Structures are given as C-alpha cells and as structure tokens.
Amino acid sequence: MNNQSNQQGMAIISALLIAAVVAVIAAGMLTRQSVSTRALEADQQRVQGRWLLHGGLEISRQLLWDARQRDPLTRLDQPWAQRLNAQGFEGRLEDEQGKFNLRNLVANERVDEAQVQAFQRLCALIGISAGLSQRISQRVIGSYPYLLNPQIAENTTSKNAFDSGRATSPNASRKPQNPKLPMLRSVDDLRSVEGVNEAVIGKLAPYLTVIPATTWLNGNTATAPVLAAYVPGLSLERAQALINERDAGRWFINRGDFVNRLRMPNLELTSVKVGITSDWFRLRGEARRDQRRVSLDALLHRSEDRLPQVIWSRVGV
C-alpha cells in the first residue's frame, strides 16, 4: 500500500515538474516572440520615419526651387523660411549664406586676410577670446591647400623658373601646401580645437557655417553680429538698426542698395562682400511616428536650372 502511494506521489511530482518545464519553455517562447514583435515594430517605425524624412526633404527642395522661380532675391519673408509641419515631419530651413562661412578664410589657394580679420571681429562680438579665434582660424586654414608666399608666387614666371621638385626650387613657391588636417564639414568638427567645448559650440553655431565653396554673405538674411563683422567699421548698433529696418519690410533689392544704406562714404566697395541672394541652405528636421523620433540634418545647394541638390545628410535616432 505504501509502495502504491509512493508511486502515485512520484507520478504527481513528475507531472508537476513536466508542467513547470513546459511553462518555462512556453514563457521563453512568448518572451522571444514579444521581443521579435517589438523589434519588427521598431524596424517598421524606423522605415516609416525615414520615409517621412524623405518627404520633408522633398518638400524643402520644392520650396527653395519655387522661391527662386518667383523672386531672384533670398529673403526671410519667403515660404521656405517658415517652419515646416507636414505629414509627420517638423523642421526648418536655414540660409547658410546668412552666416559666416569658414571656407572663406582660404580662397584661390590663398589665405584671405580680410576674412580672417572679419572672423576675429565676429568672435569678439559674440564673446569668443582672441586666442581661441586664432586657434580656430589655424584649424580651418590647415584643412585647405594654400600658398605660403602668394606674392612671390605671383612674381615668379614659369619661363625663368625651373622646378626641381625640391622645396628650394624657384618654382616651389607656386605650389600650394597640402592640407595637414581633415577638412571640416560642419561647425561641430571644431571640437578638436583646444578650448572648444559645448558652450563654445553653442555660441558659434548661430553665426558660423562650413560651406564647401567660397560664398558671399546675404544681407537679407544675415544677423547683426555677422553683418558688423563683415563690413569694416560698421558698429553692432548700426548693423542691428539696418536689420530692424530690413525685417520690417525694406529688404535690400541689390548690392548697391545695401551699400548706400550703410551711409559709409569712405568705405571701399571692394571690401564689402555682401549680396542679396543665396545658394546654400541647411535643413534640420524631425520625423515622428508614435513614440519614435528620427532626426535629419542636411546641406542643400540651389542652382538656377534644377531642384536643389543634397550635398550631405545625417540621419539620427
């Protein structure tokens, strides 16, 4: 009798053990299925987010193209300058030619001293020390080829110069120095400069850009500090007054109009590198799908004969 009871007890225990094992296996399968389902949903949301970003990018390209067809001027009262909010995408286009282009520090394989001085003026106006502005300038200049002695190079003719391939060759002055540092793509790349931290980037970002070509400044979109830095002798107060007048509806209609309204008769016109149109824009946006967000940062180039082209883009989660 005892043996029979023992056997029944063992059978019950075995059944319970089997049931527990089955329950653990089932729970594991359900967990894996749940994880797989969440991963699939995340992938679907990521794909949908990218499509929303693509839609926002295409809308931005069309806005820039339409603005160029309607008006040769580039102004802040045009539709492209308004905040975008369509089909799950939110963002804004910025005129990069309303900022100081660091690429201008080196033009035609020569360091542009006037632009270097303008950059130093801008840094002083926004609270960046002279030492740090100099290090930033050196970082930018070091990422592009430039002539060490441009005046000597201009006076050296190929007829009387023999290039032996050495640094002491008479024709060596005509060869630009190779870049020693990686080329910059955005202001964020300045983090490698000693003294540049998040606070400094925050000060620089509204006023600086890196465009892969030398450009003029757009007087119709520039901020007061950049305008004051660009025009030698223009005070920040006068620059702000010009901008207040401009944003009230008196947009600069051409370069001559801008120069006349400066009221600086002794200013050399060749030193005023300010125009009234723009070809380079930055799109910063975000796509939202349920609880997921995907960000977009892109540089666009607008020309007269086709839709703006995407020069580079970054997508982040």
Side-chain angles (χ1 to χ4, degrees):
M1 190 74 177
N2 289 334
N3 289 336
Q4 185 177 1
S5 297
N6 291 337
Q7 290 176 355
Q8 291 177 346
M10 292 297 295
I12 293 172
I13 292 173
S14 298
L16 290 174
L17 288 174
I18 292 172
V21 170
V22 171
V24 169
I25 294 173
M29 293 176 64
L30 289 173
T31 300
R32 287 193 295 272
Q33 183 177 6
S34 177
V35 170
S36 177
T37 300
R38 287 198 297 270
L40 180 60
E41 290 175 349
D43 286 341
Q44 290 176 339
Q45 291 177 355
R46 184 161 46 249
V47 171
Q48 291 169 348
R50 287 180 179 271
W51 275 109
L52 291 173
L53 291 181
H54 179 72
L57 183 59
E58 292 306 305
I59 292 173
S60 301
R61 294 175 68 203
Q62 191 64 50
L63 283 171
L64 291 173
W65 173 254
D66 291 344
R68 169 61 66 84
Q69 303 308 303
R70 293 193 182 101
D71 193 338
L73 303 183
T74 303
R75 309 189 311 262
L76 292 174
D77 64 338
Q78 295 170 336
W80 66 265
Q82 310 308 310
R83 187 162 187 83
L84 304 175
N85 191 345
Q87 301 176 349
F89 177 83
E90 293 183 4
R92 182 178 292 277
L93 279 162
E94 302 173 12
D95 180 6
E96 292 301 278
Q97 286 185 240
K99 305 173 185 177
F100 188 100
N101 180 12
L102 288 174
R103 179 65 180 87
N104 288 349
L105 298 185
V106 181
N108 299 318
E109 298 180 341
R110 289 163 173 78
V111 176
D112 191 326
E113 294 297 342
Q115 286 287 293
V116 173
Q117 292 173 11
F119 176 65
Q120 292 173 347
R121 287 195 295 270
L122 174 61
C123 286
L125 288 170
I126 63 176
I128 303 297
S129 69
L132 183 52
S133 68
Q134 186 176 11
R135 289 197 295 275
I136 292 174
S137 297
Q138 292 171 345
R139 169 64 181 88
V140 176
I141 293 170
S143 63
Y144 298 103
Y146 67 94
L147 294 166
L148 285 177
N149 300 296
Q151 292 181 344
I152 296 176
E154 289 172 359
N155 294 330
T156 302
T157 60
S158 58
K159 292 181 180 179
N160 301 322
F162 171 70
D163 186 5
S164 66
R166 299 179 181 178
T168 56
S169 170
N171 219 21
S173 59
R174 299 174 62 84
K175 288 187 175 181
Q177 296 293 304
N178 291 326
K180 298 179 181 179
L181 298 169
M183 190 175 296
L184 302 175
R185 191 169 73 162
S186 70
V187 175
D188 288 334
D189 294 336
L190 293 174
R191 297 176 193 275
S192 61
V193 177
E194 180 186 355
V196 175
N197 52 30
E198 288 296 328
V200 172
I201 292 293
K203 286 183 178 180
L204 294 173
Y207 308 106
L208 288 187
T209 186
V210 181
I211 298 173
T214 55
T215 57
W216 58 83
L217 180 71
N218 187 342
N220 278 325
T221 60
T223 59
V226 177
L227 201 60
Y230 244 74
V231 181
L234 180 64
S235 68
L236 182 60
E237 292 74 19
R238 177 57 185 153
Q240 188 61 61
L242 280 171
I243 286 176
N244 292 342
E245 184 180 88
R246 176 198 75 187
D247 293 348
R250 290 194 59 192
W251 304 98
F252 301 112
I253 59 175
N254 52 46
R255 187 170 178 274
D257 180 34
F258 172 79
V259 172
N260 289 336
R261 284 158 67 178
L262 287 175
R263 299 191 186 96
M264 300 173 67
N266 296 326
L267 182 68
E268 292 186 16
L269 298 185
T270 56
S271 65
V272 182
K273 299 179 180 180
V274 178
I276 40 78
T277 61
S278 297
D279 298 324
W280 298 87
F281 299 83
R282 186 87 168 262
L283 172 64
R284 304 175 197 267
E286 183 180 74
R288 297 183 180 183
R289 185 70 178 179
D290 297 329
Q291 300 300 317
R292 192 174 184 83
R293 299 182 180 184
V294 185
S295 63
L296 173 67
D297 187 7
L299 180 67
L300 307 180
H301 178 241
R302 180 174 67 177
S303 58
E304 296 180 359
D305 57 349
R306 61 180 179 177
L307 283 171
Q309 301 298 299
V310 179
I311 304 304
W312 57 257
S313 64
R314 284 194 293 257
V315 176
V317 177

